[in-house]
Amino acid sequence: MQTILVTGGCGFIGSNFVRLALQQLPACRLVNLDKLTYAGNPTNLTDIAADPRYRFVKGDIGDADLVAALFAEESFDTVVHFAAESHVDRSILGPAEFIQTNIVGTFILLEAARAAWASRSDVRFLHVSTDEVYGSLGATGFFTETTPFDPRSPYSASKAASDHLVSAYHHTYGLPTLITNCSNNYGPYHFPEKLIPLIIHNALKGKELPVYGDGTNVRDWLYVGDHCAAILRVLQQGRVGETYNVGGNNEKQNLEVVHTICDLLDAKVGLLPDGAGRRSLIRFVKDRPGHDRRYAIDAGKIRQELGWEPSLTFEQGIEQTIAWYLTHGDWVEAIVSGAYRDYYEKQYGK
Ligand code: NAD
Ligand code: DAU
């Protein structure tokens, strides 16, 4: 039986991964260690919370005693490390938490795994990272696994540092590590501070749609379920010590994404009360400082070595995502109104 420690399993990608792992790995035990920051939402996992194979632990990956105690108690053979501060804009306003969780927290986990696993080779430590470590592309070209790191924001610098630490633990101590660097995800349970869920929410409410700069920055979008499937594939078949880039081959300018969402919502729920289409809500606002121009992933290595490919195009994925948000208005409202905080405090204390 596989015993998996998932960190950050109450966040966007982590919660999608926990659900998929419990479906795909019937014989696993899965422990979710999550601090429940503003971005961690245990209601993302209400449907599986009572599964006897699942345990939730509220705690900080930076708490070395807690992490060591969990390793001793549960004898993990697998770590899938999602926990992080993940929002670029927040890292610009206040980088300290990013350094603490993304760098120091990853170091604490690596130390715990090294101590518990000694020289075992039948174990895996998978670090979930981002394409932002590679910096910003011009109009052409793609990030490959050998593109030099060139992070530009405190967030991406902290993720680059954690990637380097993971890699160092493999080379120095022989820890059986894997790293995935993925492009922008979207889909169910995406926290509504990020572009796609923010635009869906505001467009439904008839609120302004903030587009940074001129809206021509490019992101390479991947449906979250496809990212989670890639992580499972790398865990099961990836070569130890390797990095795998994961991407959807779905490059879009931000304005194109916003237009698509507006048009789909106009068609699905009707025009705004004044008869205007939702594109009329778009406002070009001050640009993000140091805004990376373009990201685009070459996912050739994971496709050729492990046979992974995204199952959805952007057009299919965004339809599914909008359908999910239309049927989960209460989930978004609880976050936007702050009501999810009351739920936490009742369930888990402050
Ligand atoms: P998220 O912000 O939605 O979730 C992060 C989770 O980590 C939350 O549940 C939060 O409570 C938890 N957490 C934060 N600090 C913690 C700590 N100190 N101890 C324990 N738990 C803590 O993030 P996400 O978008 O799901 O991203 C997950 C991971 O994937 C991150 O490492 C991120 O860098 C990476 N990633 C994200 C994307 C993307 O598009 N969202 C793309 C590539 C890689
Ligand atoms: O590339 C992977 C990364 O994708 C992950 O590592 C990060 O954790 C994740 O947050 C995401 O980072 P981005 O900065 O690309 O995502 P965000 O949704 O914040 O922004 C997407 C693009 O949209 C970006 O060019 C900035 C722009 N934007 C964003 C917001 C929130 C706007 O124009 N308006 C907005 O209100």
Side-chain angles (χ1 to χ4, degrees):
M1 171 155 127
Q2 195 173 8
T3 308
I4 308 172
L5 171 64
V6 171
T7 69
C10 291
F12 163 46
I13 308 174
S15 60
N16 280 282
F17 179 81
V18 166
R19 190 172 289 103
L20 184 73
L22 288 171
Q23 267 165 23
Q24 304 274 309
L25 308 171
C28 78
R29 171 165 175 75
L30 193 154
V31 177
N32 172 13
L33 172 63
D34 195 300
K35 186 180 173 183
L36 300 185
T37 67
Y38 79 94
N41 189 344
T43 68
N44 294 1
L45 290 171
T46 314
D47 54 326
I48 58 88
D51 189 315
R53 297 169 299 158
Y54 174 74
R55 175 183 172 196
F56 172 64
V57 177
K58 182 184 179 212
D60 191 331
I61 56 165
D63 180 343
D65 292 341
L66 169 67
V67 173
L70 278 178
F71 265 88
E73 216 177 298
E74 295 281 356
S75 303
F76 300 119
D77 48 44
T78 306
V79 175
V80 186
H81 175 32
F82 293 94
E85 288 296 331
S86 69
H87 192 39
V88 174
D89 293 329
R90 285 179 189 257
S91 82
I92 296 167
L93 292 171
E97 286 291 317
F98 289 73
I99 306 306
Q100 181 57 36
T101 287
N102 300 3
I103 306 177
V104 180
T106 301
F107 162 70
I108 302 266
L109 280 176
L110 286 164
E111 277 293 89
R114 179 164 86 92
W117 290 344
S119 55
R120 277 179 70 179
S121 59
D122 61 331
V123 289
R124 294 289 180 272
F125 186 111
L126 189 151
H127 182 228
V128 181
S129 192
T130 171
D131 59 355
E132 298 198 11
V133 298
Y134 299 122
S136 181
L137 290 165
T140 58
F142 295 90
F143 297 134
T144 71
E145 288 79 359
T146 56
T147 302
F149 280 18
D150 183 21
R152 311 294 188 91
S153 71
Y155 163 71
S156 52
S158 69
K159 292 296 290 187
S162 58
D163 282 2
H164 284 315
L165 276 173
V166 172
S167 179
Y169 270 63
H170 173 67
H171 290 290
T172 308
Y173 304 115
L175 196 75
T177 61
L178 295 155
I179 299 175
T180 52
N181 293 92
C182 187
S183 62
N184 286 63
N185 284 216
Y186 66 102
Y189 303 106
H190 204 177
F191 196 86
E193 66 187 348
K194 308 278 167 58
L195 180 72
I196 288 185
L198 176 87
I199 297 296
I200 296 174
H201 175 72
N202 283 11
L204 278 170
K205 295 281 168 197
K207 290 165 73 174
E208 294 186 349
L209 309 178
V211 173
Y212 298 167
D214 63 2
T216 59
N217 296 62
V218 172
R219 296 293 181 265
D220 178 1
W221 294 96
L222 180 67
Y223 191 72
V224 63
D226 281 330
H227 182 195
C228 293
I231 292 169
L232 268 183
R233 186 71 61 90
V234 171
L235 206 51
Q236 288 162 339
Q237 296 172 28
R239 283 184 294 133
V240 162
E242 291 290 318
T243 286
Y244 294 89
N245 279 357
V246 185
N249 202 16
N250 276 309
E251 280 184 60
K252 304 277 173 211
Q253 292 191 346
N254 292 336
L255 195 56
E256 243 181 299
V257 170
V258 175
H259 282 164
T260 303
I261 294 170
C262 288
D263 298 349
L264 281 169
L265 285 177
D266 287 346
K268 280 183 194 294
V269 302
L271 298 174
L272 294 168
D274 65 1
R278 286 175 173 74
R279 289 188 186 203
S280 64
L281 300 170
I282 292 172
R283 300 288 178 273
F284 291 96
V285 299
K286 194 166 164 289
D287 210 352
R288 172 184 281 173
H291 196 173
D292 287 341
R293 190 76 214 146
R294 174 173 165 259
Y295 303 145
I297 282 276
D298 176 346
K301 179 174 172 181
I302 188 171
R303 190 176 58 243
Q304 281 146 27
E305 276 192 21
L306 309 183
W308 173 88
E309 285 202 11
S311 67
L312 297 183
T313 62
F314 182 73
E315 289 63 34
Q316 294 165 325
I318 197 73
E319 279 265 3
Q320 285 193 20
T321 302
I322 286 179
W324 188 87
Y325 280 89
L326 287 175
T327 51
H328 290 77
D330 51 346
W331 179 89
V332 185
E333 272 315 315
I335 292 173
V336 175
S337 69
Y340 78 130
R341 284 278 146 221
D342 306 339
Y343 169 87
Y344 284 12
E345 282 165 23
K346 261 194 230 120
Q347 296 277 327
Y348 305 103
K350 292 211 186 240

